[in-house]
Coordinates of all heavy atoms in Angstrom, one line a residue:
Chain B
V1393 N 86.7 11.5 -54.1 CA 85.4 12.1 -53.9 C 85.1 12.2 -52.4 O 84.6 13.2 -51.8 CB 84.3 11.4 -54.6 CG1 82.9 12.0 -54.4 CG2 84.6 11.3 -56.1
D1394 N 85.2 11.0 -51.7 CA 85.1 10.9 -50.3 C 86.5 10.6 -49.8 O 87.0 9.5 -49.8 CB 84.2 9.8 -49.8 CG 82.7 10.1 -50.1 OD1 82.3 11.3 -49.9 OD2 82.0 9.2 -50.6
P1395 N 87.3 11.6 -49.2 CA 88.6 11.4 -48.8 C 88.6 10.3 -47.7 O 87.8 10.2 -46.9 CB 89.1 12.7 -48.2 CG 88.2 13.7 -48.8 CD 86.9 13.0 -49.0
W1396 N 89.6 9.4 -47.8 CA 89.7 8.3 -46.9 C 91.1 8.1 -46.2 O 92.0 8.6 -46.7 CB 89.2 7.0 -47.5 CG 89.8 6.6 -48.8 CD1 89.3 6.9 -50.0 CD2 91.0 5.9 -49.1 NE1 90.1 6.4 -51.0 CE2 91.1 5.8 -50.5 CE3 92.0 5.4 -48.3 CZ2 92.2 5.2 -51.1 CZ3 93.1 4.8 -48.9 CH2 93.2 4.7 -50.3
I1397 N 91.1 7.5 -45.1 CA 92.3 7.2 -44.4 C 92.5 5.7 -44.2 O 91.5 5.0 -43.9 CB 92.2 7.9 -43.0 CG1 92.3 9.4 -43.2 CG2 93.3 7.4 -42.1 CD1 91.9 10.2 -42.0
E1398 N 93.7 5.3 -44.5 CA 93.9 3.8 -44.4 C 94.5 3.5 -43.0 O 95.4 4.2 -42.5 CB 94.9 3.4 -45.5 CG 95.1 1.9 -45.6 CD 96.2 1.5 -46.5 OE1 96.5 2.2 -47.5 OE2 96.9 0.5 -46.1
V1399 N 94.0 2.5 -42.4 CA 94.4 2.1 -41.1 C 94.9 0.6 -41.1 O 94.4 -0.2 -41.9 CB 93.2 2.1 -40.1 CG1 93.5 1.8 -38.7 CG2 92.6 3.5 -40.1
S1400 N 96.0 0.4 -40.3 CA 96.5 -1.0 -40.3 C 95.5 -1.9 -39.6 O 94.8 -1.5 -38.6 CB 97.8 -1.1 -39.6 OG 97.7 -0.9 -38.2
P1401 N 95.4 -3.2 -40.0 CA 94.4 -4.1 -39.4 C 94.5 -4.2 -37.9 O 93.6 -4.1 -37.1 CB 94.6 -5.4 -40.0 CG 95.3 -5.1 -41.3 CD 96.1 -3.9 -41.1
T1402 N 95.8 -4.3 -37.4 CA 96.0 -4.5 -36.0 C 95.7 -3.2 -35.2 O 95.3 -3.3 -34.0 CB 97.5 -4.9 -35.7 OG1 98.3 -4.1 -36.4 CG2 97.7 -6.4 -36.1
G1403 N 95.9 -2.1 -35.8 CA 95.7 -0.8 -35.1 C 94.2 -0.3 -35.1 O 93.9 0.7 -34.4
L1404 N 93.4 -1.0 -35.8 CA 92.0 -0.6 -36.0 C 91.2 -0.3 -34.7 O 90.6 0.8 -34.6 CB 91.2 -1.5 -36.9 CG 89.8 -1.2 -37.2 CD1 89.7 0.1 -38.0 CD2 89.0 -2.3 -37.8
P1405 N 91.2 -1.2 -33.7 CA 90.4 -0.9 -32.5 C 90.9 0.3 -31.8 O 90.1 1.1 -31.3 CB 90.7 -2.2 -31.6 CG 91.0 -3.2 -32.6 CD 91.8 -2.6 -33.7
D1406 N 92.2 0.6 -31.8 CA 92.7 1.8 -31.1 C 92.3 3.0 -31.8 O 91.9 4.0 -31.2 CB 94.3 1.7 -31.0 CG 94.7 0.7 -30.0 OD1 93.9 0.3 -29.1 OD2 95.9 0.2 -30.1
V1407 N 92.4 3.0 -33.2 CA 92.0 4.1 -34.0 C 90.5 4.4 -33.7 O 90.1 5.5 -33.6 CB 92.3 3.9 -35.5 CG1 91.8 5.0 -36.3 CG2 93.8 3.7 -35.7

Side-chain angles (χ1 to χ4, degrees):
Chain B
V1393 179
D1394 289 319
W1396 46 267
I1397 289 167
E1398 189 193 325
V1399 180
S1400 74
T1402 47
L1404 179 68
D1406 290 337
V1407 175

